[in-house]
Amino acid sequence: MPSPAEPSDPCFIRVRDLHKRIGQQHILRGVTLDIQRGSGVAIIGGSGTGKSVFLKLVMGLIPATSGSIEVDGTEITTLSERQLAPHRRKIGLLFQDGALFDSLDVEENVGFPLVVAGWKDRSKLRDKVRETLESVDLGEHLHKLPSDLSGGMRKRAALARAIITEPQCVLYDEPTSGLDPVVADSIDHLIRRTQRQHGITSIVVTHDMKSVPVIADQVVYLREGVVYFSGTPDELMSSRDPAIRQFVEGNSGETS
Ligand SMILES: Nc1ncnc2c1ncn2[C@@H]1O[C@H](COP(=O)(O)OP(=O)(O)O)[C@@H](O)[C@H]1O
Ligand SMILES: [Mg+2]
């Protein structure tokens, strides 16, 4: 996998005053954020605050209403669909449910992006798929169908599929939701290992505060459409801000 050679700009993603409206809803209301090349970033925030929308904007899957998103030195908000293709190739996306193809086995699922990218040499393809599956500890399960995998194994297969094209950045949307705590912790460590070993910029949307110190150098708390807090996990945990405390402690603010 490429580790960015002599990056001229330590900032991989630079977001300025980003707004997103969908219908009557003003979801993002001026998000400004820098994400360092090769770093692990956790994005936290209440349900419906626009975390998934933010990932889709960074990927160029939906248009911004206004503001700027610069990725690896390129402003992406003004690109045409055709110009977005090379941008999207830099970024792997791991959807919440993993979205594996039910009728393809693990090897075929993970090799799929390479087939789409035009890899023709079967033995090279097989070697690459096997190497990638080894790196997520799934080397033994090549010929299983998704329905025969545990939840944690499905996440590993989906992660292998997201990184096989050697993206510079991977976006994870709640990668540990629905997993038991032990499996969730192993996925968190795998995300961190992938980020460190390959120098992949990793942006992880999570609702799980336990994940934050494992996966993140930087935590971003989205609240009411803006970045309410950005700092290290330690800074987050030691913050005295009542809104942050309430979120971190999972306190609804209600009394019974
Ligand atoms: N395609 C869409 N059409 C209409 N509303 C949407 C769409 N996508 C997201 N939204 C709305 O935008 C808000 C933010 O959504 P989302 O980013 O999915 O939240 P979350 O922070 O939970 O990931 C929600 O109110 C959601 O209903
Ligand atoms: Mg979401």
Side-chain angles (χ1 to χ4, degrees):
M1 304 244 171
S3 50
E6 304 270 316
S8 45
D9 184 351
C11 185
F12 185 68
I13 298 177
R14 187 177 278 119
V15 177
R16 291 292 176 270
D17 198 24
L18 178 64
H19 287 254
K20 179 64 183 174
R21 289 176 188 271
I22 301 180
Q24 298 298 310
Q25 273 185 291
H26 195 175
I27 296 156
L28 301 184
R29 302 169 173 234
V31 169
T32 288
L33 182 62
D34 283 348
I35 290 177
Q36 300 304 306
R37 214 175 268 273
S39 66
V41 178
I43 298 185
I44 59 173
S47 166
T49 47
K51 303 181 299 296
S52 297
V53 163
F54 178 75
L55 294 186
K56 286 178 192 157
L57 285 161
V58 169
M59 190 77 185
L61 295 175
I62 54 174
T65 302
S66 66
S68 156
I69 308 170
E70 212 181 286
V71 180
D72 199 19
T74 301
E75 174 63 47
I76 65 151
T77 55
T78 50
L79 297 181
S80 67
E81 195 57 27
R82 197 166 55 85
Q83 291 169 322
L84 277 168
H87 160 68
R88 291 195 188 121
R89 278 198 290 275
K90 290 180 188 169
I91 301 181
L93 182 59
L94 198 75
F95 286 105
Q96 199 154 338
D97 57 5
L100 297 170
F101 301 111
D102 295 334
S103 60
L104 301 185
D105 70 14
V106 168
E107 184 173 25
E108 292 163 332
N109 259 291
V110 172
F112 186 77
L114 297 181
V115 173
V116 170
W119 281 45
K120 297 262 184 316
D121 185 327
R122 284 179 156 275
S123 82
K124 260 198 187 156
L125 179 69
R126 205 187 61 203
D127 289 350
K128 181 68 184 171
V129 169
R130 292 186 179 201
E131 174 198 315
T132 308
L133 281 168
E134 295 285 336
S135 78
V136 299
D137 305 323
L138 267 187
E140 316 276 286
H141 304 282
L142 291 169
H143 300 305
K144 288 194 173 147
L145 290 172
S147 55
D148 297 327
L149 300 177
S150 67
M153 284 156 76
R154 275 201 291 276
K155 296 280 183 190
R156 286 172 189 275
L159 176 59
R161 197 176 60 179
I163 64 173
I164 196 161
T165 53
E166 305 186 1
Q168 293 181 42
C169 176
V170 179
L171 311 178
Y172 301 87
D173 201 349
E174 308 220 7
T176 59
S177 67
L179 299 178
D180 75 55
V182 174
V183 177
D185 186 62
S186 79
I187 296 295
D188 286 338
H189 281 95
L190 178 59
I191 289 171
R192 189 58 146 173
R193 203 169 80 204
T194 304
Q195 175 243 325
R196 289 198 167 134
Q197 281 180 352
H198 306 300
I200 296 177
T201 309
S202 301
I203 306 178
V204 188
V205 166
T206 183
H207 62 277
D208 189 348
M209 290 307 299
K210 276 208 300 295
S211 300
V212 168
V214 179
I215 55 184
D217 305 299
Q218 177 189 6
V219 194
V220 175
Y221 177 30
L222 281 186
R223 183 179 151 92
E224 294 171 358
V226 297
V227 174
Y228 187 82
F229 167 92
S230 173
T232 65
D234 282 347
E235 285 163 357
L236 178 82
M237 299 319 269
S238 58
S239 167
R240 295 273 126 240
D241 183 287
I244 293 175
R245 291 256 50 88
Q246 188 178 339
F247 187 84
V248 165
E249 287 160 14
N251 184 345
S252 71
E254 291 180 32
T255 52
S256 51

